[in-house]
Structures are given as structure tokens and as C-alpha cells.
Amino acid sequence: MNKTVQDRHVEIEGIPVRTDHFIGGERIASPTTFEVRSPLDWSWKLADVSRGDASTAARAVEAAQQGFETWSRMSPPERGRIMNNLADSIDANIEKIATIECLDMAMLLDSLRKRVIPRAARNFRAYADLAAEYQERTWCSNGTHNTVIRMPAGPAVVITPWNAPFMLSTWKCAPALAAGNSVILKPAEWSPLSLSLLADWINDAGFPPGTFNIVQGIGGELGQSLTGDPRVKRISFTGSPETARHIGHAAAENIVPFTAELGGKGALAVFADADIDAAAQKASSQFHDSGQVCLAGTRILVEESIRDDFLEKFTMYTGKQVQGDSRDMATTLSPAIHPDHLEKVEAFVNSARKNGDKIIFGGRRWKQDGLWYEPTLIEPKSNDSEVVQREIFGPVLTVQTFVDEAESISLANSTAYGLSGMVYTRDAAKAERIGRAIRAGTVWVNTFLVRDLTAPFGGMGISGIGREGGHYALEFHSDLKTLQILEGSVA
């Protein structure tokens, strides 16, 4: 691995995107690369990106150790000022980031511009404020004066998914930085390009060299070297349960705290007293972004008495969805991110068809020469069906009926996942009962994807361990120490 001699970059839609790692405040090249192609047109190669390996990981951790020594000694307000500088750069470059991310992973451009990328800037601002506002807990007991001190832990490895990569990476990196840790960010290999833009603004924001590093590569080649390095003091991961198990082993080997968000199989329960039109419209929106949203309510549970009415409205709203180029304002349904992922989604539906589950609509590729899959609704023959129990992460929903509250709760809690849930009802007492009974990290009533950045976020069961959000994330990225001083012993 060598330092670059010249500025290696590609131009994508007139936007220069650098293709090397960012380590210790410098662009660093690897001798080998991997391809990044656009899901909008798989024949379009966007870039050849530096492919990190064990030596890249070691260099990044070494840089993060050095950066930690300076960054951790800064006060929270000093760190916050620099984080806000980076947020300013994000706000000033929303159009560039949104354009690159749309081409790289095919999320709807309009959504990226208006909702997703602006949230990335808010992530840095929110955690800068929370860290600066922190008050140490002090009290007297047993003749001693006690103080709980929140100390920076050390270098943190952050491994992020390919969906909404820019926003989700800032969501995980911001609390680590605000707590005083240095960061090594490893983006997913299917969509690394928007985060390469982020590296362009890190030095200008004022981060000391090594504080915020970004390394690119294939998970199996790079991730293990990062997570297994004993110099790493925190690991934060979003991805699959299978990968999390490997990371968890590495974390356990070095006794390193580890948090993981591992996807979901959320229930969307609609009761007879609900606003059925609103529920059907929201249920249809679960197809957006090709269903590549971990929080999506993919298991629709409908009270038996309103099944036909709900499905009529749901089918009507789904019929209004538009598949097409994610840059087109009229498009609501984007393609899958990668041919391998499309094949996985297709395999789930084919297996359901073979096993006797009823395909109510959809169940086919939309374009044989593209990565689009039709919005698909399946009525499983049993709750044990694979399409009910496993995360598909595509535009495939299931529908089941229930007769009473007890059955709705039983169905909602019948998978190994527990990330999110939705309840549609006009009855406040019922909303409270069902909302409390569903085992999930977040349950929305009559709404979806409303997020307060100070609230805890995470999953139960195989949806993950630990919590992100607000002070919960800052506590994870800190070492807590209690200082006790005998009263009257010091002047």
C-alpha cells in the first residue's frame, strides 16, 4: 500500500470522487481495486476503488491511535466546533452527495436531497450538542464525595451497510467522535462512493490527522483485520446476523464492547377501528427504496373483518407506484442495489411459490435487463413460511389476518427479529397495550420513520444488541469511572 503521488479520482456526472482510502489525514492507495457499478444501469462502471487488506487495517488503526491522543484531550465544545464545521460542509454539498449516492445505491434522488442527506448533518450537530451539554453526576454517600466521569474509550471501528450509507455512517460515527474517540469507518463495498466525498471535508473541518479515517474494501478481506485488532476499543456494526456473529467473536476475544443493528422483520398491525385508508397507504410505502429498509413493516397483520377492504385499498395504492430511474421525480420504486441481491430476493419468492404460499400480486422481475423487481404481496400458507420468518430486504411483503388483540400480539412477536413495529388504531388504550406488548426496539402508532435523535435505537432478538441514539450512544463509546474522595480529607 502506497501513498498516492497524484490525485486519483473519477468524475461522475461532473463530480470528482476520489477513489483511495483516507488514513491519517491523507489519501492512501492500495495496489488492487474493486469495481463499483450503478444499480440504475449495471453496464455503467462508476469507479475502481482502492481495495484494502490487513496492512490497510493496521495502518488505519495506527493512525487512529495517534489521532486519539490529540482528539481525546480536546474539550467537548472544541470537538463540537469541528463536528459542526463538517456538518456545514455536508449542508453545502447536499446536491453532490445525493447525486453520487443515488447513482451508487439507487435510493430515490428526491428523498436523498430532502430527507436523508440533511439528516447526516443533523447527526453531527446533535451529538456535538449532547456531548457539550453533558453534566457529570455528583453526590455524597458513606462519607465520600462521588463523581461519575465519562472518559473517551479509544479507537472505534464503525462498519456500515450499503443502504443509505452516508446518513447511516454519520449516525454511527458522530457519537463516537463526540465522545472523544477516533474512528475507522469501513463502508460497504457495494456503495462506498458518497463516503469518499465525506473524506474531502474532514481536514478542512479541523479534525486532527488520524481522528477520522475511512478505509474501503471487501468485508471478508478487511473487516476481520479491523475488528480483531486489540488496539480497537469499540466496534459498531450494521449488517446481517451472520456477519455480526463473526464480529462478535472477534470482540469477545479482545473483550471489546460491541453494538450491532442486524435488520428486522417488522409487523404492521391494522385494527378494524383504524383509518384503513391511511394504513393501506403507509403499508404500500413499505415498497419504497425497493424494500431495502431494515425498519420496514414487511409483515402486514390485518384484523380479519377488514381484510378485503384493506387489501382493496392497499392494491390501489400499490398500483400507483412507479418503477423507474431513481433520478426521475415520478419514480417511487427504485431497483435492487446489486444483481446478487436481486437473485436473493427472487429466490425467496420462487421458494414461496414452490412451497404453496399464495402470490397475490407481483412475483416477477420488472425488467429483464435491469435490477427492478415488482412490488410483491404474498399470503403465506402458515406463519412458519420462510417469507414470514426471514428478512428478505426487498419489495416483498406478506399479509396475514388475526381475530383479536391476543392473536395480533402473538403474530407480531412470532419471529426471531425485533427491530420495529407499527400499529394502526384509533383507540388510545389499545395503542398503548399493543405498543407495549410488541417486542421491538421501536414501535410506531399511526405513523412510520419519525425519529428523535435522542431516543434509543436498536433491536431485540437477532435484530441486534446495544442501543444507538442520544446519550445511549455516548455512553457506549465511553468508559465510565467513579471518583470517590473522602469528605474533609482535601482542602
Side-chain angles (χ1 to χ4, degrees):
M1 183 174 66
N2 303 303
K3 183 176 175 181
T4 54
V5 177
Q6 58 185 359
D7 181 16
R8 297 204 327 184
H9 71 276
V10 294
E11 285 211 359
I12 303 173
E13 300 291 275
I15 301 169
V17 180
R18 291 168 177 83
T19 56
D20 293 323
H21 315 288
F22 183 78
I23 300 173
E26 299 178 317
R27 289 286 179 170
I28 305 292
S30 288
T32 59
T33 61
F34 62 94
E35 284 186 353
V36 177
R37 294 181 175 273
S38 177
L40 300 179
D41 179 352
W42 199 247
S43 67
W44 184 5
K45 185 172 81 170
L46 297 173
D48 289 308
V49 176
S50 274
R51 184 170 184 158
D53 57 14
S55 66
T56 314
R59 185 166 183 167
V61 175
E62 177 64 28
Q65 271 199 311
Q66 295 176 11
F68 176 73
E69 294 303 316
T70 303
W71 184 249
S72 63
R73 289 197 295 266
M74 290 184 176
S75 68
E78 288 178 304
R79 294 195 291 262
R81 177 183 56 80
I82 294 170
M83 291 174 65
N84 277 305
N85 289 343
L86 187 55
D88 289 343
S89 293
I90 293 170
D91 280 335
N93 288 279
I94 286 174
E95 185 65 27
K96 287 182 181 179
I97 302 166
T99 297
I100 296 302
E101 188 145 306
C102 175
L103 295 175
D104 200 13
M105 67 88 42
M107 182 175 279
L108 298 177
L109 180 58
D110 192 50
S111 178
L112 286 165
R113 285 171 174 157
K114 294 178 180 177
R115 179 177 61 85
V116 180
I117 305 304
R119 157 76 188 275
R122 290 198 297 274
N123 288 336
F124 282 113
R125 297 191 198 283
Y127 280 107
D129 290 345
L130 283 170
E133 293 166 0
Y134 174 70
Q135 297 293 318
E136 294 178 347
R137 181 190 171 205
T138 62
W139 75 101
C140 294
S141 68
N142 301 316
T144 64
H145 180 78
N146 304 271
T147 306
V148 175
I149 301 168
R150 193 164 70 185
M151 301 173 61
V157 165
V158 174
I159 301 176
T160 52
W162 47 257
N163 60 317
F166 195 92
M167 187 276 286
L168 290 178
S169 293
T170 61
W171 167 242
K172 297 173 83 66
C173 291
L177 293 164
N181 298 339
S182 55
V183 166
I184 307 110
L185 168 63
K186 192 274 177 195
E189 56 264 33
W190 282 356
S191 55
L193 297 180
S194 60
L195 286 160
S196 187
L197 293 178
L198 182 66
D200 291 343
W201 310 310
I202 288 173
N203 287 338
D204 290 343
F207 286 94
T211 302
F212 196 171
N213 309 275
I214 302 176
V215 293
Q216 303 153 153
I218 310 303
E221 299 171 359
L222 181 62
Q224 186 174 356
S225 297
L226 289 172
T227 58
D229 194 309
R231 296 171 294 180
V232 168
K233 300 306 178 186
R234 292 294 186 273
I235 301 171
S236 179
F237 170 72
T238 296
S240 71
E242 293 75 22
T243 302
R245 291 185 178 99
H246 293 294
I247 295 174
H249 280 297
E253 189 72 26
N254 294 320
I255 320 296
V256 174
F258 164 51
T259 185
E261 191 269 279
L262 307 175
K265 195 70 182 174
L268 194 168
V270 184
F271 288 86
D273 60 11
D275 181 336
I276 299 174
D277 190 76
Q281 189 170 6
K282 188 61 67 178
S284 179
S285 74
Q286 306 306 295
F287 290 125
H288 289 177
D289 294 316
S290 198
Q292 298 170 157
V293 179
C294 59
L295 289 164
T298 58
R299 293 183 296 130
I300 303 171
L301 310 177
V302 184
E303 193 161 353
E304 195 171 75
S305 63
I306 61 165
R307 176 192 181 279
D308 292 346
D309 189 14
F310 173 85
L311 284 182
E312 181 181 355
K313 293 179 182 294
F314 175 76
T315 303
M316 175 194 69
Y317 282 116
T318 302
K320 295 180 179 180
Q321 304 276 13
V322 178
Q323 291 186 291
D325 192 314
S326 300
R327 295 168 292 182
D328 189 328
M329 291 285 288
T331 298
T332 61
L333 300 179
S334 54
I337 188 170
H338 193 281
D340 291 351
H341 189 62
L342 178 61
E343 288 180 8
K344 176 185 171 184
V345 171
E346 191 170 43
F348 272 112
V349 178
N350 289 340
S351 177
R353 187 181 282 116
K354 181 179 178 181
N355 292 333
D357 296 329
K358 181 181 179 181
I359 313 298
I360 296 178
F361 58 69
R364 298 181 301 273
R365 295 192 183 206
W366 180 58
K367 282 186 173 182
Q368 291 304 312
D369 61 345
L371 300 183
W372 287 263
Y373 198 80
E374 290 183 340
T376 299
L377 182 66
I378 300 175
E379 189 164 28
K381 68 178 182 181
S382 105
N383 194 55
D384 295 328
S385 293
E386 183 183 52
V387 288
V388 175
Q389 295 298 322
R390 293 183 59 190
E391 184 180 46
I392 300 172
F393 218 60
V396 180
L397 309 182
T398 61
V399 61
Q400 298 166 270
T401 59
F402 60 86
V403 296
D404 55 24
E405 289 186 27
E407 188 176 16
S408 75
I409 294 166
S410 176
L411 288 171
N413 293 337
S414 66
T415 76
Y417 295 90
L419 185 61
S420 65
M422 275 180 273
V423 178
Y424 271 80
T425 177
R426 287 190 175 99
D427 185 323
K430 183 186 295 182
E432 189 78 15
R433 287 193 302 271
I434 305 299
R436 287 178 177 272
I438 292 176
R439 289 192 56 77
T442 302
V443 178
W444 287 280
V445 177
N446 300 328
T447 189
F448 177 55
L449 275 186
V450 178
R451 293 284 298 125
D452 183 324
L453 300 188
T454 64
F457 176 79
M460 301 177 186
I462 65 169
S463 283
I465 56 175
R467 289 295 181 269
E468 298 172 337
H471 288 291
Y472 306 92
L474 292 173
E475 296 284 309
F476 168 76
H477 282 290
S478 304
D479 284 325
L480 300 182
K481 174 171 66 179
T482 301
L483 176 64
Q484 289 186 290
I485 299 175
L486 181 67
E487 291 181 346
S489 67
V490 294

